[in-house]
Amino acid sequence: MTRLFDKTFWGLTIGLVALFALNFLLEEWMRSIGLQSLSRGCVAIGLLVLWRTGLVSFGHALFFGFGAYTVAMLQIIGVNDIILLLIGGCATAGLLALVLGFLLRQYRAIFFALLNMAFSMILYGVLAKVEALGSTDGIGINQVSFFGFVPSDDSYRPTLFIFAVIFAYIAAVGSHWYLKSTLGLMTMAVRENEIRVEYLGYSAEKAIHIKYVLSGVLAGMGGVIMALTIGHVDPDSMVYWTVSGDFVFITILAGTGNVGATFIGALVYELLRTYAFEFAPEIWQLILGGSLLLIIMFLPDGLWSIRSEWRNRRALAAAKSGDAPAGE
Amino acid sequence: MDFELLLVILVDGLVYSSYLFLVAVGLTVIFGVQKVLNVTHGAFYSFGAYLTAYLIGLWINDAEGGAFELLAFSLAVILIGSVFLGIVLGVLIERGLLKFLYTRDEHIVVLATFAGFLVLEDVILLIWGTDPYLAFRPLELMGSSEITGLIFDNYTFTMIGLSFLVAFVLWYGLNRTQFGKVLLAVIFDREVSMAMGINVTKIFLITFMIGTFLGALGGAYHAPIISVQPGIGVEVIVLAFAVVVIGGMGSIPGALIGAIVVGLSRAAAVHLYPELELFVIYAIMALVLIFRPEGLFAPIQARKI
Amino acid sequence: MAHVLEVYDLEKNFGGVVAAHNINVTVDEGETIGIIGANGAGKTTFVNMVTGYLPPSGGRIEFLGKSVVGLHPRDVTKRGLCRSFQVPQVFLSESIFDNMLVAYGIAERSGLGLFTPIHTDERAARVDAHLKRYQIEDYRDVAASALPQGVRKLLDIAMATVRNPKLIMLDEPTSGISVEEKFGLMDIIMEALRQEDTTVMFIEHDMEIVERFVDRVWAFYQGEIICDAPTAEAMVDEKVREFVIGQEYHPAHLEGGAHA
């Protein structure tokens, strides 16, 4: 816990290197699955941060879509480098989260979830009507340059993949370190007991606001990666409420114990979705929904909960065998 | 603004309001009693619509006979089909899913019902396939009327009547019957009701069946005026959320008011600023959450110190 | 001696109910105050107002010579006035150590410092020393939800003292604790707070505890303080005996009991 360079950090770094190497072996359809997992994984990390605070958003497609459409809008005005598009997407999504955060930080539980959903559906309603952005048909995204470098058509997707991996890695490590900071552990504190947080001398609402902005930036990043991956943005696949539902799905699938697990969850989701759609197109939603139900029923907080429960019992047993001062 | 336009907005708005109310009222009943925001409600709607469209297509669309008999028959199909679905799906979801989740976090329960919704949507596809179903006959039989140059199907007017009927029956059942009294006690304080010897498990099951029936009825009654095809449930559930949140989650008069507010605003948007059509509903939802998070008609809450 | 806390003409109404009326009190540095009174007499409301949880309907509250009315609890806390709770307010699913770690993290960092890792060896050492002071170090890694009530109470107070407050208000530190354990628990608390050089006020129903640990008693009755006197005097005060402690109670010092 003390060190920044802990198991999770090295795990993520090994993942980074492994993906670099894999990039040469992957077939294009696998790379697409990888890119989409990285994109949704970024959003799910943002949801993980909120989830640990006890908040669930049923509307993070708002920031995801905002990031994705920022790419489209920047391209319209001629900006076409990946780093500028990424910064633009994260910044606009983060700014939106900052503004909405002043309001949302006052809400908890189902009200927080639904207010997020309402905002995402407002954006959906707007985008579905804006002709300049293609309304319901959406708008195409052009190939981009990478710090000025324009790869050949053959190497475009592998290059995009490398960059997406790096962005996701930065997001994951940054979030992991954040969660170990004082502010990061305040996620838990706010979820468990806001009164205590106040009486320790910090504003629970402010803590929530910071987390909300962070989750907005991460969702914006996911949106940018997705827009570049698919090469197209449209309201139904970027902003509709079912898109938000998918993100929460991944968060549950992965559990909230570990940032790295989120990407594995995103990958599992992507594979589940792809294969279910491929081999059982009539029942792919059934398979998806069924797996979600199984997880909710049998692995409520992911594998992590089993681990901490076990640790707890051991510690209590150790304390009881010692000399307890004010025990029962 | 001229009078004719106002009239059109009013009529159009009320028709849409009744559509929304029928969809949302079951959702609010279930939330009121069980505190579950039930996403599977969207699938109940689809089931109702599919079953009705299928049966009307089978028995009535090409049938010969007097208009009155065929209409009565259609109505019977709608009603009996919805009751059937209310019992089957209600028991299935409440006993098979929700029963295990009452102690869990509310957002986990929402997600579980979301998962249930995904499953049921595919079950519908497995039963009825992907082709659209049309149940146009009842609509044809009732004819249409002209109001200030615009043609309205008479069938849509009966929806307004049905909405008020449903609202009245629910109000009566809740406030004037023994079951309603028990229900109010459970809504007010679940634990105390249990201590008083009320069988909360049974109450939950019955309420859920009623809610399911209402969802199915919404879909069934709409079947003749829409093209019944995959995806109708997804669209409906999010609208129903908006109505329920605006009116106050768990409040029946709230659902009525919410539906009227949303219906009229949408009609106004459609006729005055068509580009705002979708936007306006969720903007109202957001505004209500901002200024009155408990909704326009908040149900009474038990105080727990 | 300097006044730590001064309260003038404090009033609080909930609708038509008077929860505090005409409260005028001062606390000196190093004093130990015991707040007694029946349930609903206004004791916790008083603590809630002083610590910023409830706004008073009228009157002044000054801590170290400066008004604290209108401040958030977090700001009152930062000025060095802390409290514990009748029902311990801890992070239930976390270990005692992590509870204290978060408490220290919040107390010691602000601004961008909040982004630095919460766990440092030096801070861990301070947490462990703090746990030792409250004699709960054996439970270091047990989740707060699994703790015995007494330990959880101590954790609650330990968390309230991470800022080394000047004044602490304890809301019924011994409620929910068995009679045999009460004195032991209070010994630990008072000794720790003495080491931390903190002035103490606490709400208490057990008069034996009051007599043993308290210098001065405030007796609340229907939102008013009906007696503000040294402990020995308060125990024989007619109004206190009639409205708060009951006529049948025999103060320890009249039977030769010692004042701790």
Side-chain angles (χ1 to χ4, degrees):
Chain A
M1 209 171 175
T2 314
R3 291 163 303 130
L4 288 178
F5 303 102
D6 59 0
K7 270 189 216 159
T8 304
F9 171 81
W10 290 117
L12 289 168
T13 309
I14 291 169
L16 174 85
V17 175
L19 286 175
F20 279 173
L22 268 177
N23 193 20
F24 295 103
L25 307 170
L26 288 178
E27 304 214 12
E28 184 42 43
W29 66 272
M30 295 179 190
R31 195 175 285 119
S32 274
I33 289 182
L35 279 163
Q36 298 201 23
S37 310
L38 291 170
S39 159
R40 291 208 173 83
C42 286
V43 189
I45 295 178
L47 289 186
L48 176 150
V49 171
L50 287 177
W51 191 288
R52 284 203 188 175
T53 321
L55 296 168
V56 178
S57 162
F58 294 154
H60 253 50
L62 172 66
F63 304 110
F64 181 74
F66 219 68
Y69 268 86
T70 301
V71 172
M73 288 186 281
L74 285 174
Q75 287 198 336
I76 289 175
I77 60 164
V79 179
N80 206 32
D81 198 88
I82 192 161
I83 192 68
L84 296 175
L85 296 174
L86 182 80
I87 292 171
C90 291
T92 48
L95 205 63
L96 182 66
L98 179 71
V99 174
L100 293 182
F102 283 105
L103 183 72
L104 278 151
R105 69 192 217 172
Q106 301 164 32
Y107 293 82
R108 303 291 179 273
I110 205 78
F111 296 106
F112 180 87
L114 287 177
L115 193 53
N116 271 295
M117 193 190 83
F119 282 123
S120 76
M121 288 305 290
I122 289 177
L123 181 68
Y124 176 83
V126 172
L127 289 175
K129 294 283 176 183
V130 176
E131 295 290 337
L133 293 170
S135 38
T136 46
D137 293 337
I139 186 168
I141 301 290
N142 303 323
Q143 294 204 348
V144 298
S145 61
F146 300 87
F147 288 96
F149 166 70
V150 184
S152 66
D153 276 357
D154 280 349
S155 57
Y156 179 74
R157 299 289 287 186
T159 314
L160 180 63
F161 185 75
I162 292 284
F163 273 83
V165 167
I166 294 172
F167 294 151
Y169 175 77
I170 294 169
V173 171
S175 304
H176 176 58
W177 283 348
Y178 166 80
L179 287 170
K180 291 173 69 159
S181 73
T182 303
L183 210 49
L185 250 87
M186 242 192 269
T187 49
M188 169 283 287
V190 169
R191 178 193 68 219
E192 296 271 323
N193 199 326
E194 287 192 30
I195 293 178
R196 173 50 86 191
V197 172
E198 286 282 333
Y199 273 104
L200 285 171
Y202 200 77
S203 154
E205 285 191 1
K206 196 166 148 191
I208 288 172
H209 200 162
I210 293 170
K211 281 159 231 314
Y212 192 69
V213 172
L214 180 72
S215 75
V217 170
L218 287 166
M221 180 186 255
V224 171
I225 296 175
M226 188 60 87
L228 298 178
T229 302
I230 300 182
H232 186 262
V233 291
D234 66 277
D236 276 310
S237 60
M238 294 289 176
V239 202
Y240 203 53
W241 72 270
T242 47
V243 180
S244 303
D246 292 341
F247 297 141
V248 183
F249 188 151
I250 292 170
T251 315
I252 295 220
L253 192 70
T256 57
N258 187 288
V259 171
T262 305
F263 286 101
I264 296 170
L267 182 65
V268 170
Y269 167 83
E270 215 63 56
L271 290 172
L272 204 62
R273 196 182 152 108
T274 310
Y275 279 96
F277 201 71
E278 177 88 22
F279 295 109
E282 275 95 43
I283 54 164
W284 73 277
Q285 289 199 90
L286 195 150
I287 294 172
L288 229 54
S291 355
L292 181 54
L293 278 181
L294 287 177
I295 293 161
I296 290 175
M297 293 288 192
F298 299 110
L299 282 178
D301 301 309
L303 285 165
W304 234 251
S305 59
I306 302 169
R307 184 169 158 266
S308 39
E309 176 67 18
W310 178 73
R311 237 176 24 175
N312 228 341
R313 280 196 198 152
R314 232 175 33 155
L316 188 63
K320 281 215 166 126
S321 64
D323 227 358
E328 280 167 325
Chain B
M1 185 166 37
D2 59 299
F3 176 73
E4 287 187 3
L5 188 58
L6 200 66
L7 193 68
V8 168
I9 290 175
L10 195 67
V11 174
D12 219 10
L14 281 180
V15 168
Y16 195 66
S17 303
S18 61
Y19 163 80
L20 290 172
F21 176 75
L22 287 178
V23 171
V25 68
L27 193 68
T28 217
V29 164
I30 290 171
F31 187 86
V33 178
Q34 272 137 309
K35 305 287 174 280
V36 170
L37 196 59
N38 178 31
V39 185
T40 51
H41 200 75
F44 299 161
Y45 173 90
S46 309
F47 257 106
Y50 266 99
L51 185 63
T52 306
Y54 174 73
L55 292 179
I56 286 183
L58 201 64
W59 294 333
I60 298 165
N61 271 356
D62 305 315
E64 314 240 331
F68 184 76
E69 285 88 58
L70 287 179
L71 278 174
F73 190 30
S74 305
L75 210 59
V77 165
I78 288 171
L79 201 64
I80 294 169
S82 306
V83 170
F84 169 76
L85 289 173
I87 294 169
V88 173
L89 293 177
V91 171
L92 188 75
I93 299 293
E94 209 280 337
R95 289 289 90 188
L97 178 61
L98 292 179
K99 187 180 78 176
F100 305 103
L101 297 168
Y102 286 126
T103 52
R104 302 279 293 273
D105 278 358
E106 58 183 347
H107 41 249
I108 293 284
V109 183
V110 179
L111 286 169
T113 62
F114 174 56
F117 170 75
L118 291 176
V119 171
L120 286 182
E121 284 281 288
D122 267 4
V123 171
I124 289 175
L125 285 186
L126 286 177
I127 300 176
W128 284 293
T130 48
D131 293 333
Y133 285 78
L134 298 170
F136 52 86
R137 194 69 187 278
L139 196 69
E140 267 179 13
L141 289 170
M142 279 202 195
S144 55
S145 324
E146 192 199 300
I147 298 176
T148 67
L150 260 100
I151 311 285
F152 288 92
D153 290 314
N154 288 338
Y155 187 87
T156 58
F157 293 134
T158 64
M159 258 167 37
I160 301 179
L162 180 65
S163 298
F164 281 109
L165 183 69
V166 167
F168 175 76
V169 170
L170 287 176
W171 174 84
Y172 187 87
L174 201 57
N175 295 294
R176 293 283 183 276
T177 64
Q178 190 61 38
F179 181 77
K181 296 246 159 57
V182 174
L183 207 55
L184 285 175
V186 174
I187 292 169
F188 195 72
D189 197 318
R190 196 184 295 180
E191 277 100 50
V192 171
S193 313
M194 257 189 245
M196 277 159 41
I198 295 174
N199 186 345
V200 173
T201 315
K202 199 172 102 192
I203 299 281
F204 274 14
L205 181 58
I206 293 172
T207 332
F208 198 83
M209 278 159 49
I210 294 173
T212 310
F213 159 73
L214 289 169
L217 181 68
Y221 209 78
H222 290 162
I225 54 171
I226 57 174
S227 164
V228 179
Q229 58 192 27
I232 51 172
V234 185
E235 211 172 302
V236 148
I237 185 66
V238 67
L239 279 174
F241 270 9
V243 169
V244 166
V245 166
I246 289 168
M249 292 196 277
S251 155
I252 291 165
L256 194 60
I257 298 294
I260 291 173
V261 168
V262 172
L264 289 178
S265 325
R266 180 179 171 277
V270 167
H271 291 284
L272 301 174
Y273 309 99
E275 61 277 10
L276 294 183
E277 180 193 337
L278 273 168
F279 171 89
V280 73
I281 296 173
Y282 301 102
I284 296 174
M285 177 179 172
L287 284 176
V288 167
L289 277 170
I290 292 165
F291 293 106
R292 258 187 92 87
E294 67 281 15
L296 298 175
F297 269 77
I300 312 155
Q301 296 282 329
R303 231 188 102 195
K304 282 179 185 155
I305 301 170
Chain C
M1 253 190 291
H3 292 318
V4 181
L5 184 73
E6 298 160 83
V7 175
Y8 303 106
D9 306 323
L10 194 65
E11 303 281 336
K12 181 71 193 177
N13 307 309
F14 292 109
V17 183
V18 178
H21 176 58
N22 194 25
I23 292 180
N24 286 280
V25 284
T26 56
V27 179
D28 291 335
E29 200 176 330
E31 253 190 324
T32 304
I33 305 279
I35 300 176
I36 62 173
N39 289 322
K43 307 180 301 290
T44 298
T45 302
F46 175 77
V47 172
N48 283 344
M49 282 193 286
V50 173
T51 58
Y53 192 71
L54 284 176
S57 310
R60 280 187 295 147
I61 304 168
E62 286 177 12
F63 175 65
L64 300 175
K66 282 188 195 142
S67 171
V68 291
V69 175
L71 295 184
H72 290 287
R74 54 179 180 270
D75 299 317
V76 176
T77 301
K78 279 189 216 159
R79 292 207 183 168
L81 169 50
C82 296
R83 71 171 290 186
S84 74
F85 299 85
Q86 187 182 348
V87 178
Q89 300 292 324
V90 297
F91 308 128
L92 281 176
S93 66
E94 305 299 315
S95 69
I96 281 199
F97 181 81
D98 283 348
N99 266 275
M100 289 300 289
L101 193 67
V102 170
Y104 264 100
I106 296 174
E108 293 175 354
R109 286 280 180 268
S110 60
L112 288 177
L114 286 165
F115 288 95
T116 55
I118 193 165
H119 191 293
T120 61
D121 292 342
E122 182 223 3
R123 184 177 286 154
R126 258 175 300 139
V127 166
D128 282 327
H130 204 132
L131 294 180
K132 222 180 183 82
R133 203 150 63 236
Y134 284 85
Q135 300 185 26
I136 49 178
E137 71 273 21
D138 287 347
Y139 291 90
R140 187 181 189 274
D141 299 319
V142 181
S145 58
L147 293 174
Q149 178 69 0
V151 180
R152 205 179 302 161
K153 284 259 179 190
L154 286 169
L155 173 62
D156 185 55
I157 294 166
M159 287 176 82
T161 55
V162 292
R163 281 178 186 269
N164 200 4
K166 193 83 188 154
L167 171 66
I168 188 163
M169 306 178 102
L170 308 175
D171 193 349
E172 303 201 22
T174 67
S175 73
I177 305 296
S178 70
V179 181
E180 307 87 68
E181 288 168 359
K182 276 186 177 183
F183 281 92
L185 186 75
M186 282 307 288
D187 280 333
I188 296 173
I189 296 170
M190 297 308 279
E191 174 56 23
L193 291 171
R194 193 190 58 75
Q195 285 178 28
E196 290 161 11
D197 208 16
T198 303
T199 303
V200 188
M201 310 168 57
F202 65 89
I203 298 176
E204 183 56 62
H205 286 291
D206 185 327
M207 291 308 137
E208 291 179 31
I209 298 272
V210 172
E211 284 193 79
R212 167 125 166 233
F213 293 100
V214 162
D215 303 325
R216 196 145 62 90
V217 167
W218 300 345
F220 275 70
Y221 179 69
Q222 295 185 348
E224 292 186 59
I225 293 186
I226 56 171
C227 173
D228 174 1
T231 309
E233 269 178 50
M235 290 296 119
V236 294
D237 183 277
E238 256 321 298
K239 277 202 280 185
V240 173
R241 293 184 70 81
E242 186 180 346
F243 295 121
V244 184
I245 59 179
Q247 298 291 0
E248 63 279 13
Y249 180 77
H250 297 292
H253 72 275
L254 293 182
E255 298 164 354
H259 202 74

